[in-house]
Amino acid sequence: MADPAAPVGVFDSGVGGLSVLAEIARLLPHESLLYVADCGHIPYGEKSPAFIRQRCQIVAEFFRAQGAKAMVLACNTATVAAVADLRERYPDWPIVGMEPAVKPAAAATRSGVVGVLATTGTLQSAKFAALLDRFANDVRVVTQPCPGLVECIEAGDLDSSSLRQLLQGYLTPLLAAGCDTLILGCTHYPFLKPLLAELVSPDIAIIDTGAAVARQLQRLLGERGLLAEGPARPAQFWTSASPAHLLKILPLLWGRSDNVHSLGL
Ligand code: DGL
């Protein structure tokens, strides 16, 4: 029987999942959080599903060795590639994945046109196609892969002129198609919300799924009697690249920079 005081493992290919970690910390302040950034293998967006599945297994084993009571795949690309495999391997371990917010966007759009910004891996996946079949029959969905955005965010660039130009280029076809709702289908992109707010009209809704994932984690832990009650231990961070990179970027994206370790895997 798992221990409610055990930590929750949160995983992304890099620092994008910190946008989800923040939502989890806000909703579940008693939970002790472990975060793994696979920065040594980023970006996942252009990698094969088999490679991503292998990395997810390695990280899942790491979290289990740390005694984690649950795992959150704070990465859309990793979810489409690996969540089914992980759930099959660990049927009794709560695993929360994420998917682009097609359902709420389809319900919210007034123009009937929804845009999705995500990685190539997410947009090309069968899981994403199934999501559209299920929830987007009455709306037009325009998809836009965004190579390069993740690399900027990993480098701590949230507003340079070259990033601005890259993002504008990705937004232009979506806006020209009449999208009034934009889905941020990659956990890195919420860090671009201030820039997006400068580039698109305030009438355009921008939706991401970090808060919904935190609620799903709350539900899964609650059902199993695993919600923590005592004070949380400080969040711990591991990276498969140089800890110096994470130490440098954490203050910008997480607000502080301590407890950073090398994953060594
Ligand atoms: N943050 C990841 C996601 O949500 C992807 C970033 C990457 O390409 O590695 O899809």
Side-chain angles (χ1 to χ4, degrees):
M1 179 64 192
D3 175 4
V8 173
V10 180
F11 169 58
D12 181 42
S13 59
V15 295
L18 294 170
S19 66
V20 180
L21 194 73
E23 297 291 351
I24 295 172
R26 210 182 337 266
L27 183 68
L28 300 170
H30 297 298
E31 299 299 336
S32 300
L33 302 172
L34 314 178
Y35 185 89
V36 169
D38 198 9
C39 297
H41 301 93
I42 201 164
Y44 276 10
E46 316 290 319
K47 298 253 184 344
S48 75
F51 176 84
I52 297 170
R53 270 195 293 280
Q54 192 189 17
R55 293 304 301 166
C56 288
Q57 276 164 30
I58 290 170
V59 175
E61 283 301 323
F62 172 77
F63 282 146
R64 289 170 69 84
Q66 299 288 321
K69 63 185 174 186
M71 177 172 183
V72 178
L73 283 170
C75 178
N76 293 265
T77 316
T79 300
V80 296
V83 75
D85 173 67
L86 290 175
R87 287 189 178 135
E88 206 174 303
R89 268 168 208 274
Y90 311 111
D92 299 325
W93 198 40
I95 297 172
V96 182
M98 48 199 318
E99 61 190 18
V102 172
K103 187 181 174 191
T109 178
R110 287 153 285 119
S111 71
V113 190
V114 166
V116 188
L117 300 160
T119 67
T120 308
T122 296
L123 296 175
Q124 282 180 350
S125 67
K127 212 165 161 26
F128 182 68
L131 191 65
L132 295 186
D133 274 351
R134 187 147 173 234
F135 296 116
N137 285 320
D138 300 327
V139 299
R140 181 169 165 227
V141 177
V142 189
T143 59
Q144 178 63 59
C146 305
L149 292 187
V150 161
E151 288 85 339
C152 291
I153 297 157
E154 288 289 319
D157 171 9
L158 304 182
D159 61 1
S160 70
S161 59
S162 56
L163 169 61
R164 209 170 263 266
Q165 219 178 340
L166 188 63
L167 187 55
Q168 185 70 68
Y170 291 145
L171 291 170
T172 301
L174 301 183
L175 300 176
C179 296
D180 68 349
T181 308
L182 291 178
I183 298 172
L184 304 184
C186 167
T187 54
H188 281 73
Y189 305 165
F191 291 115
L192 298 180
K193 277 185 184 168
L195 182 55
L196 280 163
E198 284 179 39
L199 297 178
V200 304
S201 131
D203 300 338
I204 298 203
I206 297 175
I207 306 188
D208 68 89
T209 33
V213 163
R215 289 195 297 274
Q216 175 67 358
L217 175 64
Q218 182 181 44
R219 209 163 19 240
L220 289 188
L221 294 178
E223 281 167 8
R224 291 163 174 77
L226 285 178
L227 283 164
E229 285 174 359
R233 294 180 293 284
Q236 303 288 322
F237 300 87
W238 284 265
T239 173
S240 57
S242 140
H245 161 254
L246 202 55
L247 278 166
K248 196 162 140 216
I249 196 154
L250 274 176
L252 178 69
L253 303 183
W254 179 246
R256 50 189 294 172
S257 166
D258 35 32
N259 305 315
V260 173
H261 319 276
S262 171
L263 185 64
L265 293 167

